[in-house]
Amino acid sequence: MDSALLLLVDGRFPAGGHTCSGGVEAAISSGDVIDAVTLERYLSGRLATTGRVDASFAAATCAQGGDVDRYTALDAEYRCRVMSPYLCSTSRRLGRQLVRAAQRVWPSPELDAVGALPGGPFQPMALGAAVSAGGGSPNEAASVAFHHLGAAVTTAAVRLLGLDPMELAAIQARAGRVVWAGRAEWDSWTSMQPRHLPADGGMLSEILGERHGQLDARMFVA
């Protein structure tokens, strides 16, 4: 993997990812996640639904090479896939943060174009443009998107539940192997029309997203 992509998957990269729990904070608050077993169940479900959607949009954005019309179409399609207003606004906020950080490291027409979308880009699109600017491929953009979600969920669980970091690292590794086993479809995402990209988001993720926005006290933005 290129050193630029290693920088993107490093949790110290100033992209706002450390402020996101991948929805697990709300899942813990609701009692759906209480231990390592329920966390692994949550992560597996999240990766197969919203994780797959996000990875596909990251890959498709990475493949566009600064095509503003395609970015606009991807933006509209992603918005249709996220029903929660809170999650939409949070994704754009994280996307803007990621673009600002990436522009300092890899100034590029792709980042300028995606950053100019009204309201700012959704986080998966910002990630795809950042991977492209760093010299990565669409498949690598998908891989980084899956990694970001897995890392967000497991890192948040350590902080919120005090679970064993080594056990959660093993959970993330198992989830990663499952994701990697499905990589045969990743190539197809780059040639699909935006409306044909995966749309199998999880309804529970949307409900938890809205619930998260209503928490009186929270550690993470989402």
Side-chain angles (χ1 to χ4, degrees):
M1 180 178 284
D2 187 273
S3 61
L5 298 182
L6 291 176
L7 182 59
L8 269 178
V9 299
D10 191 325
R12 295 168 296 178
F13 189 74
H18 60 283
T19 67
C20 184
S21 74
V24 80
E25 183 171 17
I28 290 170
S29 176
S30 68
D32 189 52
V33 172
I34 58 173
D35 55 17
V37 173
T38 51
L39 180 80
E40 185 162 9
R41 179 192 67 191
Y42 174 86
L43 177 57
S44 297
R46 188 82 187 226
L47 287 169
T49 54
T50 58
R52 181 167 171 263
V53 172
D54 286 358
S56 71
F57 275 80
T61 302
C62 184
Q64 298 315 312
D67 187 327
V68 177
D69 290 338
R70 292 281 288 181
Y71 287 161
T72 300
L74 286 165
D75 180 86
E77 288 296 330
Y78 189 83
R79 175 65 185 86
C80 291
R81 286 158 172 75
V82 183
M83 299 297 102
S84 164
Y86 180 79
L87 289 181
C88 273
S89 63
T90 299
S91 183
R92 288 197 190 275
R93 173 181 169 183
L94 294 173
R96 292 193 299 269
Q97 291 174 348
L98 175 53
V99 166
R100 283 198 298 271
Q103 283 175 323
R104 292 289 299 273
V105 184
W106 308 288
S108 68
E110 298 101 311
L111 286 167
D112 291 343
V114 83
L117 288 167
F122 289 108
Q123 193 275 344
M125 294 184 60
L127 181 62
V131 171
S132 176
S137 69
N139 274 6
E140 287 171 325
S143 184
V144 172
F146 280 124
H147 170 80
H148 274 197
L149 177 56
V153 167
T154 53
T155 300
V158 171
R159 297 172 66 182
L160 293 165
L161 291 175
L163 299 179
D164 180 358
M166 289 183 284
E167 183 176 11
L168 295 192
I171 287 173
Q172 186 177 346
R174 286 196 293 272
R177 286 194 291 272
V178 172
V179 163
W180 189 250
R183 68 189 181 279
E185 73 167 331
W186 297 4
D187 286 335
S188 66
W189 293 339
T190 63
S191 58
M192 283 183 182
Q193 290 298 316
R195 66 181 181 276
H196 294 148
L197 289 169
D200 45 2
M203 185 56 67
L204 179 59
S205 298
E206 304 291 334
I207 294 170
L208 290 174
E210 284 301 297
R211 182 173 295 173
H212 193 282
Q214 297 168 9
L215 293 175
D216 293 331
R218 55 179 179 261
M219 183 179 294
F220 297 93
V221 68

